């Protein structure tokens, strides 16, 4: 099943007198459920723009975007917001967990917002925490957790409502290499457990090489090593 499909994506920013920047050019990308894909790009290459378009936070000038089989090109904000909440999880370099709530509560809250009952939401939170080896930290607040633990909770929260697609922007950017490995292993467990697709922007080439596919974004074009073009 296709989690994300981008085709013929074009994006240009106009910057007044300094002219226009053509950030994305003819970008095609299909992610299937169960795939973990690295996005490697130099700074300024358009990585955030691509993640925002895939995440339905920004719209391309041209091209089609579909998420979990729903065509979302040219649809209104309400439908895009609904699709984003139901089908997309986000993780950033900084965890953005709510400091007043425990790890488990941080994973419960988005489920309550989505209509789940407390008991059901709490059971899922504990199950997700178990998948990343964090059962024993469920009742700790973020400030009592290490950076790697906080990021594992952030992954669980992103997956709380069982989205089809996870978009991560440098999720291990703040962590030392050993902790990065633990967090990456946790992510792989979650992907195997939930069968979602993950697109992970990273500067860590060693980590990228361990993912299923490695995409490069340069000069507005998306290319895939070992393939004739991005599929
Ligand atoms: P990355 O995340 O790879 O660093 P971005 O997607 O943030 O790259 O930006 C790609 C290019 O587009 C950069 O040259 C950036 O300055 C430009 N850019 C990004 N957002 C805007 C914007 N809202 N208005 C004008 N230019 C922008
Ligand atoms: P909420 O359900 O809390 O109102 P939204 O529907 O606005 O959140 O957004 C859903 C997801 O998109 C959230 O996980 C949030 O982190 C992310 N998000 C929303 N707006 C932005 C933005 N401008 N930049 C990056 N991520 C955003």
């Amino acid at each position: 099943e296709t989690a994300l499909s981008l085709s013929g994506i074009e994006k240009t920013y106009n910057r007044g007198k300094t002219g226009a920047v053509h950030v994305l050019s003819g970008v095609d990308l299909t992610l299937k459920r169960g795939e973990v894909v690295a996005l490697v790009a130099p700074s300024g290459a358009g990585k955030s723009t691509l993640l925002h378009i895939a995440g339905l936070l920004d719209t391309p000038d041209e091209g089609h975007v579909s998420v979990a089989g729903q065509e979302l090109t040219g649809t209104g904000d309400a439908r895009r917001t609904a699709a984003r909440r139901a089908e997309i999880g986000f993780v950033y370099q900084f965890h953005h967990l709510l400091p007043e709530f425990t790890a488990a509560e941080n994973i419960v809250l988005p489920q309550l917002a989505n209509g789940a009952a407390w008991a059901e939401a709490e059971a899922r939170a504990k199950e997700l925490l178990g998948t990343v080896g964090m059962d024993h930290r469920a009742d700790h607040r973020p400030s009592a957790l290490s950076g790697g633990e906080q990021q594992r909770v952030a992954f669980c929260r992103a997956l709380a409502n069982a989205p089809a697609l996870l978009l991560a922007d440098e999720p291990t950017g703040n962590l030392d290499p050993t902790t990065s490995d633990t967090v990456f292993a946790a992510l792989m467990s979650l992907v195997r457990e939930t069968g979602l697709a993950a697109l992970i922007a990273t500067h860590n080439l060693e980590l990228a090489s361990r993912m299923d596919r490695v995409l490069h974004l340069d000069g507005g074009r998306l290319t895939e090593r070992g393939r004739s073009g991005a599929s």
Side-chain angles (χ1 to χ4, degrees):
E1 194 197 328
T2 302
L4 171 70
S5 168
L6 301 177
S7 68
I9 301 295
E10 303 285 334
K11 185 73 178 181
T12 299
Y13 290 115
N14 290 309
R15 289 197 288 198
K17 292 196 177 102
T18 57
V21 229
H22 197 169
V23 182
L24 299 176
S25 179
V27 167
D28 297 326
L29 173 63
T30 300
L31 298 189
K32 293 194 197 73
R33 279 180 173 271
E35 278 190 317
V36 180
V37 178
L39 176 62
V40 178
S43 191
K47 180 195 73 182
S48 303
T49 302
L50 181 61
L51 289 174
H52 283 160
I53 288 172
L56 308 174
L57 294 165
D58 195 1
T59 50
D61 301 326
E62 304 274 344
H64 289 266
V65 180
S66 90
V67 173
Q70 291 177 69
E71 170 68 54
L72 291 157
T73 313
T75 55
D77 283 349
R79 261 200 74 202
R80 294 161 52 79
T81 299
R84 184 171 67 239
R85 288 182 183 168
E87 302 295 356
I88 303 174
F90 295 89
V91 176
Y92 302 95
Q93 189 166 345
F94 180 69
H95 60 77
H96 299 294
L97 297 170
L98 298 172
E100 303 304 322
F101 294 93
T102 66
E105 287 164 352
N106 267 279
I107 304 164
V108 164
L109 289 170
Q111 298 179 77
L112 298 183
N114 199 40
W118 182 278
E120 175 198 342
E122 192 175 37
R124 177 161 173 84
K126 296 248 159 93
E127 185 191 328
L128 287 166
L129 285 169
T131 303
V132 299
M134 291 280 295
D135 326 50
H136 59 304
R137 292 279 190 265
D139 299 327
H140 289 61
R141 290 194 182 174
S143 59
L145 302 175
S146 71
E149 289 175 335
Q150 291 167 345
Q151 236 11 10
R152 281 185 275 166
V153 177
F155 278 122
C156 293
R157 181 189 49 184
L159 302 193
N161 290 322
L165 177 65
L166 176 73
L167 299 173
D169 197 351
E170 293 284 351
T172 62
N174 259 334
L175 307 173
D176 63 68
T178 310
T179 309
S180 290
D181 276 0
T182 311
V183 168
F184 180 67
L187 170 65
M188 295 304 277
S189 305
L190 286 168
V191 170
R192 278 194 294 271
E193 191 77 18
T194 62
L196 90 168
L199 181 60
I200 302 167
T202 182
H203 285 119
N204 185 333
L205 296 177
E206 196 277 320
L207 214 60
S209 72
R210 284 150 57 193
M211 300 188 202
D212 300 322
R213 297 161 59 190
V214 181
L215 306 173
H216 290 263
L217 185 60
D218 213 347
R221 303 235 165 231
L222 194 64
T223 55
E224 183 161 359
R225 198 178 300 156
R227 298 202 187 186
S228 50
S231 68

